[in-house]
Amino acid sequence: MGNHLYDALFGRHEGSGADFLILPDGGRVSHAAFAARAARFSGALAAAGLAPGDRVALQLEKSPDMLAVIAGAIRAGVVFLPLNPAYTAAEVSYFVTDAGAKLLLCDGASEAALAPVADAAGAALAVLNADGTGSFAEAAIRAEPLPVVPCESGDLAALLYTSGTTGRSKGAMMSHANLLSNAEVLVDYWRFTADDVLLHALPIFHTHGLFVATNVALLAGARMIFLPKFDAGEVIRHLPQATAMMGVPTFYTRLLDDPRLTRDLVAGMRLFISGSAPLLAETHRQWQARTGHRILERYGMTETNMNTSNPYEGERRAGTVGVPLPGVELKVCDGTGAELPRGEIGTIEVRGANVFQGYWNMPEKTAEELRPDGFFITGDLGHVDGEGYVTIVGRGKDLIISGGFNVYPKEVELALDALPGVLESAVIGAPHPDFGEGVVAVVVPEAGAELAPDTLRAALGGSLAKFKQPKHIAIRDGLPRNTMGKVQKALLREEFRATFA
Ligand code: ATP
Ligand code: MG
């Protein structure tokens, strides 16, 4: 028996001298060199006492070695959990303890802060720096490469923790088949081949950069220009060598702010993909005007990988996330799980080989969100049009109920964004003594524009019913966002909690 995920992603390239990673300094990592490194890391994991099914936590800066440890873990049947380097020691403590990790890998710079965390959790601690040094790198040099450990399709590959946008992060149990099946669909749907060069500037602790981008590149045999982080100048420098890029919406808005982004610069590109947070229709339009490319927006989440995508050929409809991917069933339901008529807004539920195995250590939460028939209740609200295109209108937890009426923040945000001088906005509910919740809008002006709350309110009068109109409007320079470009509405709710008190 083979190793379901390892064989498909890595095993097939073992011994190949073809380039896998292109580094910012022009250095190259071949598939053969990468696989050899991964095999040594799998040996180091075994030498550290990790057996198949044990967990290794990684809080590492993005680097080729971080990816090689992940490949090594899959090879060894060890379950890995990649963690955002921005997490504090207290946050890491939650993940390491929750996952019952036997080993925590960190950067040298955080070793002192994490030593007590690892101790308390009963985990060993080892260092792997982005430049390939550290105690775990040394252990890898000493270790005998481990033969590929057999793993079946249903075995756990990763515990991927959700972003924690709506509450405490949950560990999504991803099986080998969850990950491989989705990557197979995406390679085909987005037409990835061995001729592609994917510009990779996303983090690899999150599903977008790790499973969507990397697994697709590996499966297609494509190369990746592997940048340590998003930097507009660096992305612009590398775009002429790339054929495809995956990004969060902020990549696109930042690139649009740079005059070096031109049609010529992206003449060799065939595909720009966006996801992880809503792409403004305005960004979509500006991108097309400037580059000639229509961004392909798709929709997914930690628990499911990708669910829907705009088509490769056919209409990429701005403001929508496209249609369900092959093998994914999607329906819009009311609170009881009954499917709503087409066009109505409700909770999006999905089913398919991509859907996770449940939340680690959270059987009640799993039972609440994963129906016995296999449908996963995403918590996102949306509707489907006559041609099957899905529009996300927000998260269930962000829905505002004011005076007994539902207010979908997205509707108010779209009305605000359409007003002259408005760059973007975020709409939240704040406790209100009469209405239960009152609508609060945080509005960001375009560069140089002067906005006044009263003028904005008056301008909305024509387009929105009274109960949807913001009772309070705050003007800000920007919205609080996490690394994946998601607006942190929980922070805003906290900030405006006493607005109507
Ligand atoms: P948590 O579940 O811990 O609250 P999270 O849901 O933000 O965090 P992720 O799994 O990283 O964690 O994000 C998935 C969510 O991102 C989706 O449920 C959806 O709300 C949002 N999302 C992803 N892609 C898109 C998109 N193209 N348009 C709108 N929203 C998107
Ligand atoms: Mg979520």
Side-chain angles (χ1 to χ4, degrees):
M1 188 180 76
N3 179 312
H4 191 75
L5 188 59
Y6 184 85
D7 295 346
L9 295 184
F10 304 103
R12 70 193 310 152
H13 301 299
E14 272 182 17
S16 155
D19 288 336
F20 170 38
L21 302 177
I22 302 169
L23 306 178
D25 64 2
R28 312 268 160 146
V29 179
S30 69
H31 279 290
F34 182 83
R37 189 83 174 146
R40 288 205 170 269
F41 279 130
S42 71
L45 289 169
L50 279 84
D54 286 343
R55 274 82 56 208
V56 56
L58 297 74
Q59 192 191 32
L60 300 173
E61 292 300 332
K62 178 181 176 184
S63 73
D65 263 357
M66 175 176 171
L67 206 53
V69 173
I70 288 173
I74 299 171
R75 180 183 172 103
V78 167
V79 177
F80 63 96
L81 49 135
L83 301 172
N84 188 338
Y87 286 147
T88 62
E91 286 165 329
V92 172
S93 163
Y94 161 71
F95 294 108
V96 175
T97 311
D98 185 59
K102 269 199 170 168
L103 174 65
L104 168 61
L105 297 179
C106 70
D107 292 293
S110 46
E111 188 181 13
L114 290 178
V117 167
D119 246 8
L125 183 68
V127 170
L128 183 62
N129 293 307
D131 65 1
T133 62
S135 56
F136 197 66
E138 286 153 25
I141 292 168
R142 284 194 305 272
E144 278 298 307
L146 192 73
V148 179
V149 170
C151 283
E152 289 179 43
S153 56
D155 286 346
L156 216 53
L159 280 187
L160 195 61
Y161 281 79
T162 61
S163 296
T165 309
T166 59
R168 178 140 253 191
S169 292
K170 299 147 278 178
M173 298 192 282
M174 307 307 296
S175 70
H176 282 236
N178 287 150
L179 301 178
L180 184 56
S181 65
N182 205 239
E184 283 169 346
V185 168
L186 296 176
V187 166
D188 193 46
Y189 208 74
W190 294 336
R191 313 278 198 274
F192 273 86
T193 71
D195 293 332
D196 274 306
V197 181
L198 179 69
L199 205 165
H200 194 301
L202 290 161
I204 53 170
F205 59 77
H206 184 267
T207 187
H208 193 168
L210 186 57
F211 297 144
V212 188
T214 307
N215 289 0
V216 162
L218 280 163
L219 203 58
R223 283 162 288 168
M224 295 201 284
I225 299 175
F226 204 62
L227 304 181
K229 62 176 183 1
F230 177 83
D231 172 277
E234 277 295 280
V235 168
I236 284 169
R237 186 162 79 85
H238 287 98
L239 271 171
Q241 286 84 49
T243 64
M245 183 176 86
M246 298 185 193
V248 297
T250 35
F251 282 22
Y252 294 100
T253 52
R254 298 234 191 105
L255 289 169
L256 280 166
D257 284 343
D258 197 306
R260 291 172 293 179
L261 177 75
T262 60
R263 226 169 238 261
D264 279 351
L265 186 83
V266 298
M269 290 288 289
R270 67 169 187 88
L271 184 58
F272 288 99
I273 299 178
S274 176
S276 288
L279 182 78
L280 293 178
E282 179 62 14
T283 310
H284 194 277
R285 200 191 57 69
Q286 287 178 2
W287 192 266
Q288 185 176 15
R290 182 89 77 83
T291 69
H293 286 276
R294 288 179 73 80
I295 298 172
L296 183 155
E297 185 172 7
R298 93 297 179 282
Y299 159 69
M301 62 200 64
T302 305
E303 296 91 332
T304 64
N305 286 4
M306 298 304 100
N307 292 310
T308 74
S309 172
N310 272 280
Y312 189 77
E313 279 142 26
E315 198 195 342
R316 299 180 192 169
R317 218 171 270 182
T320 81
V321 294
V323 301
L325 285 163
V328 177
E329 293 170 81
L330 181 147
K331 54 185 187 177
V332 173
C333 299
D334 66 13
T336 69
E339 190 164 0
L340 290 167
R342 217 156 232 228
E344 283 187 26
I345 294 178
T347 300
I348 294 176
E349 300 193 10
V350 293
R351 179 165 70 181
N354 55 318
V355 172
F356 73 142
Q357 309 299 303
Y359 294 114
W360 177 261
N361 265 348
M362 290 183 169
E364 301 83 19
K365 187 99 195 146
T366 303
E368 268 167 38
E369 301 190 359
L370 206 49
R371 295 188 187 281
D373 65 2
F375 271 96
F376 173 58
I377 307 167
T378 64
D380 290 316
L381 299 173
H383 56 87
V384 183
D385 74 10
E387 285 146 292
Y389 282 75
V390 178
T391 299
I392 311 287
V393 303
R395 294 169 182 266
K397 288 199 172 157
D398 292 337
L399 178 72
I400 304 166
I401 304 180
S402 191
F405 294 108
N406 284 354
V407 180
Y408 297 100
K410 179 85 176 233
E411 187 185 354
V412 184
E413 289 160 5
L414 287 176
L416 280 163
D417 295 350
L419 298 177
V422 175
L423 180 67
E424 57 177 352
S425 58
V427 166
I428 53 164
H432 192 289
D434 296 332
F435 300 104
E437 279 185 296
V439 178
V440 173
V442 182
V443 178
V444 181
E446 280 171 1
E450 289 282 333
L451 295 179
D454 286 346
T455 329
L456 291 173
R457 225 187 323 264
L460 286 181
S463 57
L464 288 180
K466 188 108 179 95
F467 71 92
K468 298 177 188 170
Q469 291 173 24
K471 295 185 172 33
H472 179 77
I473 297 182
I475 312 288
R476 289 293 155 88
D477 291 341
L479 300 174
R481 285 203 152 83
N482 75 0
T483 337
M484 299 310 293
K486 296 171 195 283
V487 176
Q488 302 298 85
K489 288 198 168 178
L491 289 181
L492 291 176
R493 274 193 288 268
E494 192 53 39
E495 181 180 345
F496 290 94
R497 189 214 290 270
T499 305
F500 307 116

